[in-house]
Amino acid sequence: MTPILTYSEDGELACELVAAAREISPSAEVAAVVLGDGDVSSLSESGCDVVCRVAGAAPVPEVAASAVAEVARQRATRMVLVGSTKDGKEVAGRLSVLLGCPAATECSRVGLESGRLRVERMAFGGRVSTVASMPGDSFVVALRPRAYARLGGAAKAGVTEVVVPAARRSVSVESVAGQPPSALDLTRADRIVSVGRGLKKKEDLELIRSLAGAMDASIGCSRPLSADLGWLGEESHIGLTGIQVKPKLYLAVGISGQLQHLAGIRDAGVVVAINNDKTAPIFSSCDYGVVGDLYQVVPELVAQLSAAKGREKGY
Amino acid sequence: MPTNTVVLLKHVYDESQLKVDPATGGIDFSAVPGKMSSFDRNAVEEALRLRQQLGGTVTSLTLGTDAAVKSIREALAMGVDRAVLVRTSGETDAYAAGALLEKALARLQPWGLLLCAEGSTDTYTSLLPGMLAQRLGLPLISYARSLKLDGGALVGERSLERKTVTVRAALPAIASVVSEINEPRIPTLLQIMGAAKKELSVTQAESLGVTEQGYRTESMSGKGRERKRVVIEGPVQEAVSRLLDAMTREGVV
């Protein structure tokens, strides 16, 4: 049977893609493509049959696409799963053209049905869920982070070195400004306290930090805080054009609840909102909402959480 | 030498105006007004801003039905010099859209810069920038939060999930922009009236000879996840106490 290729520049996501490939076909060979000379031990234990390492290839979209296409050519397949990150979506578009097959991005489910590959994805700012299909043997599908959990207890796969012709680099990198390595990956957080325009000044983030501390939560934000005001980094931006999260608890503080933000929290467990505007759309899209000034509600919530913790510990 | 710019423009259903049947999740598109895909305004604005240095013209290129003329006129009012509509009978999948745009872009030569949004606000596949870069063999600066010209090169900051990467590419080049790149201008009444006189040429998509690759939308549902919508009002201490009780019952604190 024709193999399924997987590729993501994100190490965790790369392992999740293997689980998705197994779901498409339990019997097909799953070949995980990895670029560069990094550690592949996690990927080799993700449940794939083989790791195809393309040494010397930089994980930038134009190089990645041509490398994956070359591996696809060598293995005579046109079935490819990539990660639906920003770079991953560029790779998906390029691969679609290189392999001559349809593509879908931002997918949350994938599976074979009556010989066609079916995918689920959001449209219209997260308001509409769509089921689409493509030929079962010819597709490029970009899957969202955390859509699948990596498989456990898999045997270690072998690593094959793949040689591909050197790709032309048309875009040169001048500099990279990274986030601090301690920045938490919000897509994996159990609890998120998220803040929006209701916050009056950057210094008041301390208030949000104290709440996040009391709840053992990570901090996210709506687009204006990262993109326009720059109070938090882009890695904290939750929404259609940012990241999509699925924590057990999502606490939105001073967030009005525009569609584009809600697109990022559709899969959240319990959604709680604190907002002083009773008519804010977030109150129609939350499980529990408190109407009130965040500058009063948040300190009170921190105080009551601390008191509850104190009681638990028997103080 | 002046360099021309092409900017891609899409007319979409306004997602904030979708009417969803709460029982079935069915969507009635017939009454939904159309609009210019939100991030396309940023692409148009950036094209107009860079035109000052490039010295050439800005042409908008749209794939869509006649309804798209509404958005095209808006772009012309913003300052786009002329517009091209490749008229389709309905939705086009991303693969076919890439093939059609490749052919339409060939007819618009010479140009040195192609701008588009990171994605459209309807389907948000974000596939076209990568597809076009691959089809045309041109450099792509995707997810640009800033763009500037430096000699014959385009320098951009790519806004990725966990890093910002500054990259350089020689023209001709393609860039897809994110919405924080600029604040789109709002045309004056005079500009809106003037837009009616600008050139809008129409090509039939069928004449370009492109076939789709088998992507099919099977179903759509607007049935969102139901939330409990318990809204707590009243004195702060009491409201917070009730909220904490609820969160404890849910087992999330």
Side-chain angles (χ1 to χ4, degrees), chain A residues 90 105 124 131 133 269 288-289, chain B residues 122 125 142 166 218 227 232 250:
Chain A
E90 182 183 328
T105 57
F124 298 100
V131 176
S133 74
Y288 302 96
Chain B
D122 54 351
T125 72
S142 59
T166 304
E218 304 283 349
R227 298 278 177 194
I232 304 164
E250 296 275 4

Side-chain angles (χ1 to χ4, degrees), chain B residues 5-65:
Chain B
T5 301
V6 179
V7 59
L8 300 184
L9 201 67
K10 190 176 184 187
H11 185 71
V12 298
Y13 288 116
D14 184 342
E15 71 278 4
S16 67
Q17 308 275 321
L18 288 188
K19 302 278 180 290
V20 176
D21 182 331
T24 64
I27 306 150
D28 176 13
F29 283 104
S30 64
V32 182
K35 64 163 190 177
M36 190 193 304
S37 178
S38 309
F39 314 136
D40 288 359
R41 290 181 192 282
N42 301 99
V44 169
E45 178 64 37
E46 199 61 12
L48 298 176
R49 195 182 68 79
L50 292 171
R51 180 175 61 185
Q52 295 171 2
Q53 283 163 274
L54 290 169
T57 60
V58 173
T59 303
S60 72
L61 174 58
T62 300
L63 211 56
T65 64

Side-chain angles (χ1 to χ4, degrees), chain B residues 74-85:
Chain B
E74 273 184 62
L76 290 169
M78 284 174 78
V80 165
D81 297 297
R82 65 190 187 103
V84 174
L85 169 64

Side-chain angles (χ1 to χ4, degrees), chain A:
Chain A
M1 201 180 156
T2 318
I4 301 174
L5 299 191
T6 63
Y7 166 75
S8 177
E9 76 287 353
D10 178 305
E12 284 292 316
L13 187 46
C15 296
E16 294 162 16
L17 296 178
V18 171
R22 279 273 170 262
E23 186 145 316
I24 293 171
S25 168
S27 57
E29 181 192 51
V30 177
V33 182
V34 64
L35 307 189
D37 313 306
D39 179 21
V40 295
S41 56
S42 174
L43 186 59
S44 68
E45 287 166 12
S46 65
C48 60
D49 296 297
V50 60
V51 173
C52 298
R53 177 158 59 192
V54 185
V60 297
E62 59 182 329
V63 175
S66 84
V68 174
E70 176 59 21
V71 177
R73 196 189 60 76
Q74 290 176 10
R75 293 187 172 252
T77 183
R78 295 203 301 167
M79 300 194 280
V80 184
L81 299 181
V82 299
S84 199
T85 58
K86 290 179 179 179
D87 271 353
K89 287 185 279 188
E90 182 183 328
V91 171
R94 289 176 176 277
L95 276 174
S96 171
V97 171
L98 284 166
L99 303 177
C101 52
T105 57
E106 298 283 345
C107 297
S108 53
R109 296 306 295 178
V110 61
L112 262 185
E113 207 172 290
S114 312
R116 286 188 64 88
L117 190 85
R118 288 167 74 90
V119 297
E120 283 177 31
R121 66 185 307 276
M122 293 293 165
F124 298 100
R127 284 200 72 192
V128 175
S129 50
T130 304
V131 176
S133 74
M134 287 166 277
D137 59 354
S138 161
F139 56 81
V140 176
V141 169
L143 279 162
R144 283 186 5 184
R146 304 293 276 159
Y148 286 83
R150 72 169 284 163
L151 301 170
K156 200 174 173 74
V159 179
T160 301
E161 303 293 335
V162 180
V163 179
V164 306
R168 190 177 67 98
R169 292 273 305 259
S170 65
V171 174
S172 61
V173 174
E174 301 215 311
S175 65
V176 179
Q179 304 297 338
S182 62
L184 271 173
D185 184 348
L186 285 177
T187 64
R188 289 161 213 284
D190 271 346
R191 279 182 290 278
I192 295 174
V193 171
S194 197
V195 61
R197 271 201 158 118
L199 203 70
K200 294 194 181 102
K201 52 185 199 292
K202 187 178 180 182
E203 292 68 42
D204 298 342
L205 278 172
E206 275 315 310
L207 194 62
I208 304 304
R209 290 200 182 96
S210 70
L211 178 58
M215 304 189 78
D216 191 19
S218 304
I219 295 178
C221 65
S222 60
R223 203 184 79 83
L225 255 74
S226 56
D228 302 335
L229 298 167
W231 293 354
L232 287 167
E234 180 60 21
E235 79 284 358
S236 306
H237 165 200
I238 293 166
L240 178 68
T241 56
I243 54 170
Q244 290 83 40
V245 295
K246 44 178 177 185
K248 293 189 182 104
L249 171 67
Y250 187 81
L251 177 48
V253 181
I255 290 178
S256 65
Q258 296 301 316
L259 273 180
Q260 295 200 0
H261 182 70
L262 298 178
I265 61 169
R266 267 183 83 113
D267 298 330
V270 175
V271 174
V272 175
I274 296 169
N275 202 297
N276 60 1
D277 177 7
K278 199 185 164 180
T279 64
I282 189 79
F283 286 121
S284 318
S285 300
C286 71
D287 294 293
Y288 302 96
V290 172
V291 183
D293 181 354
L294 75 91
Y295 288 90
Q296 292 174 13
V297 176
V298 171
E300 178 63 28
L301 186 52
V302 172
Q304 292 197 19
L305 279 164
S306 310
K309 254 188 203 156
R311 277 196 302 279
E312 232 169 67
K313 288 178 181 164
Y315 294 159

Side-chain angles (χ1 to χ4, degrees), chain B residues 8-250:
Chain B
L8 300 184
L9 201 67
K10 190 176 184 187
H11 185 71
V12 298
Y13 288 116
D14 184 342
E15 71 278 4
S16 67
Q17 308 275 321
L18 288 188
K19 302 278 180 290
V20 176
D21 182 331
T24 64
I27 306 150
D28 176 13
F29 283 104
S30 64
V32 182
K35 64 163 190 177
M36 190 193 304
S37 178
S38 309
F39 314 136
D40 288 359
R41 290 181 192 282
N42 301 99
V44 169
E45 178 64 37
E46 199 61 12
L48 298 176
R49 195 182 68 79
L50 292 171
R51 180 175 61 185
Q52 295 171 2
Q53 283 163 274
L54 290 169
T57 60
V58 173
T59 303
S60 72
L61 174 58
T62 300
L63 211 56
T65 64
D66 284 330
V69 172
K70 181 183 171 220
S71 293
I72 293 170
R73 290 285 172 213
E74 273 184 62
L76 290 169
M78 284 174 78
V80 165
D81 297 297
R82 65 190 187 103
V84 174
L85 169 64
V86 177
R87 188 192 275 142
T88 61
S89 50
E91 272 297 305
T92 313
D93 75 36
Y95 189 92
L100 285 168
L101 290 171
E102 179 187 9
K103 298 200 171 186
L105 284 163
R107 294 183 177 190
L108 290 177
Q109 289 287 6
W111 52 263
L113 179 62
L114 172 62
L115 291 178
C116 60
E118 60 162 295
S120 60
T121 44
D122 54 351
T123 54
Y124 196 60
T125 72
S126 305
L127 283 167
L128 270 180
M131 284 180 166
L132 289 173
Q134 202 65 49
R135 283 181 176 279
L136 301 170
L138 293 182
L140 165 63
I141 300 180
S142 59
Y143 300 95
R145 61 170 299 148
S146 78
L147 287 173
K148 66 170 193 251
L149 292 159
D150 182 19
L154 186 65
V155 177
E157 286 179 297
R158 302 186 62 222
S159 174
L160 302 180
E161 285 87 352
R162 266 176 274 181
K163 57 187 177 185
T164 301
V165 184
T166 304
V167 297
R168 170 185 291 267
L171 294 180
I174 307 173
S176 74
V177 307
V178 298
S179 61
E180 55 261 40
I181 194 167
N182 56 38
E183 197 58 54
R185 68 193 66 186
I186 295 163
T188 63
L189 191 59
L190 202 64
Q191 289 169 320
I192 293 169
M193 283 157 47
K197 298 190 199 83
K198 288 186 178 175
E199 180 194 341
L200 164 58
S201 53
V202 180
T203 306
Q204 297 296 340
E206 295 81 47
S207 71
L208 298 175
V210 164
T211 50
E212 304 209 338
Q213 288 294 304
Y215 181 93
R216 236 173 24 219
T217 298
E218 304 283 349
S219 64
M220 282 192 189
S221 169
K223 214 169 178 175
R225 178 171 173 155
E226 277 301 309
R227 298 278 177 194
K228 295 193 176 79
R229 301 188 205 177
V230 177
V231 177
I232 304 164
E233 291 180 85
V236 170
Q237 203 178 349
E238 196 188 311
V240 167
S241 167
R242 283 173 60 195
L243 173 64
L244 203 50
D245 284 348
M247 290 196 292
T248 308
R249 269 199 313 279
E250 296 275 4

